[in-house]
Amino acid sequence: MLTNDVLDKWDRESFFHPSTHLAQHARGDSASRIIAGARGSHIIDRDGNRILDGFAGLYCVNAGYGRREITDAIAAQAAQLSYYHAYAGHSTETSITLAKMVMDRAPKHMSKVYFGLGGSDANETNIKLIWYYNNILGRPEKKKIISRWRGYHGSGLMTGSLTGLELFHRKFDLPLSGVVHTQAPDFFRRDDLTQTEAEFVAQCVQKLEDLIAAEGADTIAAFIGEPVLGTGGIVPPPDGYWQAIQAVLDKHDILLIADEVVTGFGRLGSMFGSDHYGMKPDFMTIAKGLTSAYAPLSGSVVSAKVWKVLEDGTDENGPLGHGWTYSAHPIGAAAGVANLRLIDDLNLIENARTVGAYLKDGLVKELGSHPNVGDIRGDGMLCALEFVKDRPTREFFATDQKVGPQITASLLAKGVIGRAMPQGDILGFAPPFCLTTIEADEIITKTTRAVVEVLGKE
Ligand code: PLP
């Protein structure tokens, strides 16, 4: 077996990591961790540390680690038929079964699922299909996409443009033209602290209306949003936000893409964020929870209204010129089928709802009155704490104090993974759905100790 030193050397010499400070990593200035195994809600690293994964990888290992039901299904599929493509009407029993399972769970007005590999490529597919849709409808000017600041939709050329985080644009010549951003529905970060939630929603709606008026409704094809802002800080929408936004979109004939990559398949304690918040999307992006990350697989779910136009398009133009070699890969599909069955069999969505609420309530009880905890928010198995220098004025800490990363590091040293969300001093949790109340208690106790260690008691 290779020693940790050798692996560390090879890693720094050869491995180009995503979302990493490349120079620090290459120099060996930053911490690295080699993961060796995982079970349930815990990962085990090569130094033998067993760590409670309060973020389920990248909020994706929803069913928990080491599930034999899923790994056996993958092995059986690999032995039986490791690959066949899905072009020109080809399928496998597994990919057909998964498509049926997805559509049985999706809102009733949705019609078909196109399978890809990850959330980014699924959103690229959505945008291409939306452009195609408006070309078929004879309105070639209606192409722009509205996204939101603090939204995350991937890091490709188009999806990185949709993402409303500066780090994903700077020096990459993004966003591409045709993508415009509107206000994030982040009530805690509202400019005017005297505003009520209803007034803030009215402001978000007004800003959207103003943007549509400035660009021209006949140039705007779609609006994309995560039901709950994820990477932008784990921010559930203010009450009534989605109903109000949906009304504006309907009025201007603008399609809605619900990016359900994080929220899909139960993270909010409902099957989809769209069900949870009463959204009626024309497209849904799915990935992570589709297979609980046992294999890469994503999907673009399209509504019956969109599907009809796509069908007409191929009657006019011939086969759709869009596809990936690995679309509907049978091994990913096998992971998806076994994962969705397991989630049902173990009633994991209900567990996400109840244990998620238990976790958030516990954090509020222990830290709700701490002078540097400005906000504790969440929904289902998704929650976050946002730290401030001064609570009454909501003054933030200077970025270079790195308060969020310090608390996250202190928590990790105690054996719990939380995520220092990049857009502020925000500690995020998105544990596997199988989290127990005992494990939730461990997160609560150790988070409290980490906060007190970094910020003191008062
Ligand atoms: N959309 C959302 C809401 C996400 O959170 C992510 C990834 O975190 C993506 C899209 C991109 O997915 P991927 O990283 O699989 O390309």
Side-chain angles (χ1 to χ4, degrees):
M1 184 156 125
L2 294 166
T3 64
N4 283 359
D5 287 349
V6 169
L7 284 177
D8 189 69
K9 181 167 177 295
W10 287 0
D11 180 49
R12 293 184 201 273
E13 281 172 2
S14 318
F15 192 168
F16 188 154
H17 290 262
S19 281
T20 295
H21 191 307
L22 303 180
Q24 282 178 1
H25 188 75
R27 284 194 299 265
D29 294 350
S30 58
S32 69
R33 185 179 297 279
I34 306 171
I35 312 306
R39 277 285 172 285
S41 299
H42 289 83
I43 61 164
I44 298 143
D45 70 16
R46 289 265 303 199
D47 298 317
N49 300 305
R50 188 168 171 271
I51 308 167
L52 178 53
D53 185 1
F55 215 81
L58 285 174
Y59 22 37
C60 51
V61 189
N62 293 357
Y65 294 97
R67 295 289 192 182
R68 283 298 295 270
E69 296 86 342
I70 308 177
T71 57
D72 285 352
I74 290 172
Q77 182 66 51
Q80 165 80 24
L81 177 67
S82 57
Y83 173 74
Y84 203 74
H85 68 79
Y87 280 37
H90 291 82
S91 325
T92 62
E93 180 176 337
T94 323
S95 54
I96 295 172
T97 305
L98 184 61
K100 168 89 174 112
M101 289 174 81
V102 169
M103 296 320 303
D104 284 349
R105 286 161 178 73
K108 291 290 160 271
H109 69 285
M110 303 309 275
S111 176
K112 304 277 186 297
V113 55
Y114 170 94
F115 289 115
L117 290 162
S120 298
D121 72 63
N123 275 328
E124 296 283 338
T125 295
N126 290 338
I127 304 305
K128 274 185 74 183
L129 293 180
I130 286 166
W131 289 348
Y132 184 91
Y133 171 90
N134 275 333
N135 284 333
I136 297 304
L137 289 179
R139 37 194 210 186
E141 301 305 316
K142 202 167 168 64
K143 293 289 166 54
K144 289 179 199 160
I145 314 291
I146 300 180
S147 185
R148 299 167 313 165
W149 295 117
R150 299 180 88 84
Y152 188 79
H153 303 292
S155 62
L157 287 174
M158 173 48 80
T159 54
S161 300
L162 298 173
T163 287
L165 305 175
E166 208 238 337
L167 182 66
F168 288 80
H169 296 164
R170 201 187 328 139
K171 305 289 186 201
F172 286 117
D173 296 348
L174 297 182
L176 299 175
S177 69
V179 174
V180 285
H181 293 88
T182 189
Q183 166 153 345
D186 187 342
F187 180 62
F188 179 67
R189 285 184 168 252
R190 65 202 179 282
D191 291 334
D192 175 2
L193 286 179
T194 65
Q195 233 170 16
T196 63
E197 207 162 301
E199 288 165 348
F200 176 71
V201 168
Q203 186 192 48
C204 292
V205 167
Q206 192 54 52
K207 290 213 168 155
L208 178 61
E209 287 278 20
D210 292 347
L211 183 64
I212 295 170
E215 300 287 335
D218 52 352
T219 71
I220 300 171
F223 177 101
I224 185 167
E226 303 148 270
V228 172
L229 285 168
T231 307
I234 305 193
V235 190
D239 261 357
Y241 172 82
W242 278 116
Q243 282 74 11
I245 295 293
Q246 182 100 51
V248 176
L249 303 179
D250 290 349
K251 185 169 76 187
H252 295 291
D253 194 9
I254 294 172
L255 299 173
L256 172 62
I257 310 166
D259 185 338
E260 299 258 10
V261 166
V262 170
T263 48
F265 304 105
R267 187 154 284 285
L268 300 177
S270 309
M271 187 57 73
F272 290 100
S274 298
D275 309 320
H276 200 74
Y277 297 120
M279 302 161 69
K280 191 162 183 246
D282 299 288
F283 286 78
M284 289 193 329
T285 321
I286 54 174
K288 303 182 188 272
L290 175 58
T291 62
S292 284
Y294 277 75
L297 196 76
S298 65
S300 298
V301 182
V302 302
S303 67
K305 167 177 134 184
V306 169
W307 178 258
K308 169 81 180 68
V309 177
L310 300 181
E311 271 192 358
D312 293 349
T314 53
D315 274 342
E316 279 171 31
N317 297 280
L320 195 73
H322 182 78
W324 322 129
T325 301
Y326 296 140
S327 289
H329 197 290
I331 291 179
V337 169
N339 170 60
L340 295 185
R341 279 194 186 132
L342 189 68
I343 285 183
D344 284 353
D345 291 349
L346 301 182
N347 209 7
L348 287 179
I349 297 183
E350 178 60 12
N351 202 66
R353 194 176 66 74
T354 54
V355 181
Y358 179 90
L359 173 64
K360 191 180 125 197
D361 290 351
L363 289 166
V364 169
K365 191 157 160 269
E366 293 303 320
L367 287 164
S369 51
H370 190 286
N372 299 115
V373 175
D375 196 25
I376 304 179
R377 54 186 179 246
D379 210 346
M381 195 62 95
L382 202 53
C383 71
L385 297 94
E386 183 149 5
F387 304 101
V388 289
K389 191 167 173 192
D390 183 57
R391 225 163 111 140
T393 59
R394 201 209 45 191
E395 184 190 350
F396 294 108
F397 288 105
T399 322
D400 60 3
Q401 280 185 265
K402 296 196 181 302
V403 168
Q406 279 187 62
I407 294 171
T408 312
S410 163
L411 183 59
L412 179 60
K414 295 172 187 23
V416 172
I417 295 175
R419 184 173 180 201
M421 310 304 293
Q423 297 302 302
D425 291 306
I426 302 168
L427 172 62
F429 292 110
F433 298 177
C434 57
L435 193 81
T436 63
T437 50
I438 294 170
E439 290 165 342
D441 282 335
E442 183 180 341
I443 296 179
I444 296 161
T445 313
K446 291 184 172 172
T447 301
T448 307
R449 280 172 49 209
V451 170
V452 170
E453 197 172 285
V454 174
L455 294 169
K457 258 198 159 54
E458 44 192 309

